[in-house]
Amino acid sequence: MPYFRTVEVYPTSGWWGTRWHEHDRDGDAFAKVSRGICDAYSGSLGDHALPHTVSTLRIFIDTDGRLVRVPADPRRTVVMSPLSTDRVWEGFESAAVRVASGFADLVLDAQRRVILEAVHAAVRGLASFRGLDPSALEAARRAVIDADFVFTWASEWKSSPGRRWRARCVFRTMPDGFGRLVLEVTDGDGTKRATSPEQVAFTTVEGYRRAARTLRWTAADRLEVVPCVDFVGHDAGLCAVAVDEGVDGAPRLRLLQSAGLPGRPDAAIEEPSSTPEPREPDSRSAVRDGPEDTVLWVVPDPAERRILGIGGGPTNDVPELYWRTLHDLFDRLDSPEWAAWWAPSSVPTLQVSWWADVAQDRLFVRRGKDKVIARIERTPAGLRDVDPVQAARDDLDGLLALVQRRMGLANPPVLS
């Protein structure tokens, strides 16, 4: 039996120095600041062993109003959770959060509190429909507050040859979404210690664990680690540190080699700027510590018929023109003409997406009680020698024709 233990805002990562949520600075700020909050919240959930059919809740950012059509001011969010009350098909539960224009301009303290209440509302919405223990959720919310909205994680200690020194990795998640790693070294009994300069780490606790597994002593006085390892195993290089004894007998660390930054492989990377310290909130941007002040929670209306284009991924090795064309076409499905086409359906929601982490190309349609899942599945290799714009149009036309046949609908409108 799986246990519900992870909540994450999607997207969970991106390149250094770029937006994770493209063309939307408010959604980008929400995603990045949420990283530490989600990992701290999830860490507490994992301690309570909540049985559930899946382990993860993904909260999709909906700044364009495609999923949640309720306006909000910068200090409020609107959360739809769950996106559907039907059984789970994708392997994770889904919710959506509407981030208002101006969120990126709030002070960090206000951003963190708004995000926590949005995450908490999304999990409470899921729990109310799936019968999960609400006390575990309150404990998770309190754990984030008690940690001052900062997630930290430390690896196990590793002793040097001869056991003169011990070392471990210590990570913390910053508001830019990325972690910072320091190597902590102590003497044999742990009374004297030193820390290395910071290195940029990946964005999730899973990335921290991957990095920690690379920590090793290559000699009695030399440590090496790969600070940033993404989910497909790509890394940003090696960090090396020399260790010797200072005048007071404490370890002394000297940086021999810094790792690189997790930027786009084909782009120039600038040195990271120092992380700004949080500013004190002013009277206009401060928020109080209560979900009723920051979050409006809505649930799906079973009587409403709608088409949701929820995007897709991963974009690695997929022509940009292909997925951008698909996303543009998905937006066009949110119109009265398409709503009228879907209205005779016996199922409230048609959810359209694409996915490229597959073994073969296919069009996938599955009907549930409250949702039809329609997905374009494409291998990057299958998109190498085609016109990406035309391929996107053909794929979506084919998918909608398959939906039309499965659901007994009229011919779909023509995508302009």
Side-chain angles (χ1 to χ4, degrees):
M1 167 67 73
Y3 292 96
F4 178 56
R5 62 179 183 272
T6 303
V7 54
E8 56 191 13
V9 172
Y10 234 65
T12 60
S13 63
W15 300 111
W16 178 270
T18 65
R19 287 182 181 172
W20 296 2
H21 200 283
E22 292 192 82
H23 311 300
D24 188 339
R25 63 190 296 268
D26 298 300
D28 178 65
F30 192 99
K32 289 176 177 176
V33 178
S34 76
R35 282 308 319 137
I37 292 170
C38 285
D39 278 335
Y41 197 102
S42 300
S44 178
L45 283 180
D47 294 335
H48 288 82
L50 297 173
H52 191 37
T53 55
V54 294
S55 63
T56 301
L57 169 64
R58 290 183 179 176
I59 305 172
F60 294 91
I61 296 175
D62 183 42
T63 47
D64 58 8
R66 194 183 301 160
L67 305 177
V68 184
R69 300 181 179 88
V70 182
D73 69 51
R75 290 162 296 179
R76 293 181 63 85
T77 56
V78 181
V79 171
M80 176 174 280
S81 179
L83 279 186
S84 171
T85 56
D86 194 10
R87 61 179 292 188
V88 179
W89 296 104
E90 295 94 342
F92 54 85
E93 295 272 12
S94 300
V97 59
R98 178 76 178 272
V99 183
S101 176
F103 176 85
D105 297 321
L106 296 176
V107 295
L108 180 58
D109 179 71
Q111 290 178 345
R112 283 171 165 166
R113 291 183 179 275
V114 170
I115 289 170
L116 173 59
E117 301 310 342
V119 168
H120 188 53
V123 181
R124 286 191 298 119
L126 168 66
S128 70
F129 279 90
R130 309 304 190 204
L132 304 182
D133 179 9
S135 64
L137 316 184
E138 295 304 322
R141 177 179 178 273
R142 177 50 55 185
V144 176
I145 295 172
D146 290 345
D148 199 22
F149 299 85
V150 176
F151 177 71
T152 59
W153 185 83
S155 69
E156 297 293 325
W157 293 98
K158 287 189 177 182
S159 296
S160 66
R163 298 188 175 274
R164 182 177 185 182
W165 312 113
R166 295 188 307 157
R168 68 175 182 176
C169 299
V170 180
F171 300 84
R172 60 175 179 150
T173 307
M174 303 304 289
D176 60 15
F178 286 89
R180 299 296 188 276
L181 161 67
V182 297
L183 297 176
E184 188 173 270
V185 179
T186 73
D187 58 6
D189 59 12
T191 57
K192 299 177 180 178
R193 66 184 59 206
T195 57
S196 71
E198 286 185 339
Q199 301 284 298
V200 175
F202 197 60
T203 62
T204 62
V205 66
E206 291 82 6
Y208 298 169
R209 293 191 179 105
R210 289 190 294 268
R213 287 194 290 269
T214 71
L215 177 66
R216 62 177 184 153
W217 290 91
T218 58
D221 60 352
R222 182 182 169 110
L223 270 172
E224 291 183 355
V225 68
V226 179
C228 190
V229 187
D230 70 18
F231 63 95
V232 294
H234 298 152
D235 66 72
L238 184 75
C239 170
V241 174
V243 184
D244 59 17
E245 186 176 294
V247 294
D248 58 353
R252 182 174 57 186
L253 308 185
R254 180 166 51 91
L255 186 64
L256 301 176
Q257 179 180 332
S258 287
L261 296 172
R264 291 185 185 274
D266 57 348
I269 301 300
E270 298 179 356
E271 287 299 313
S273 59
S274 59
T275 302
E277 290 298 319
R279 294 183 288 118
E280 289 297 322
D282 58 34
S283 58
R284 293 171 298 172
S285 58
V287 294
R288 293 186 293 276
D289 188 22
E292 69 279 5
D293 295 324
T294 59
V295 177
L296 174 62
W297 171 37
V298 295
V299 296
D301 180 358
E304 181 184 7
R305 296 293 185 266
R306 58 183 186 161
I307 302 175
L308 304 179
I310 64 171
T315 59
N316 298 357
D317 303 320
V318 175
E320 184 173 355
L321 277 175
Y322 177 80
W323 61 264
R324 284 195 182 280
T325 302
L326 275 182
H327 290 186
D328 179 62
L329 294 173
F330 287 172
D331 286 341
R332 300 181 195 182
L333 299 177
D334 183 17
S335 70
E337 182 183 24
W338 282 95
W341 172 74
W342 183 248
S345 168
S346 58
V347 180
T349 303
L350 170 60
Q351 178 179 294
V352 182
S353 63
W354 67 276
W355 193 245
D357 188 16
V358 292
Q360 62 182 4
D361 296 335
R362 69 167 181 166
L363 302 177
F364 173 88
V365 176
R366 175 178 283 169
R367 174 177 174 166
K369 178 182 177 182
D370 296 319
K371 177 172 58 177
V372 172
I373 296 171
R375 186 168 60 238
I376 298 165
E377 298 186 350
R378 271 289 209 167
T379 62
L383 293 167
R384 286 175 186 162
D385 300 319
V386 299
D387 178 343
V389 174
Q390 189 60 49
R393 288 182 170 276
D394 292 344
D395 287 349
L396 185 54
D397 282 339
L399 185 68
L400 293 170
L402 182 57
V403 171
Q404 176 255 323
R405 293 193 299 272
R406 293 279 179 90
M407 301 302 293
L409 300 174
N411 290 330
V414 177
L415 280 168
S416 57

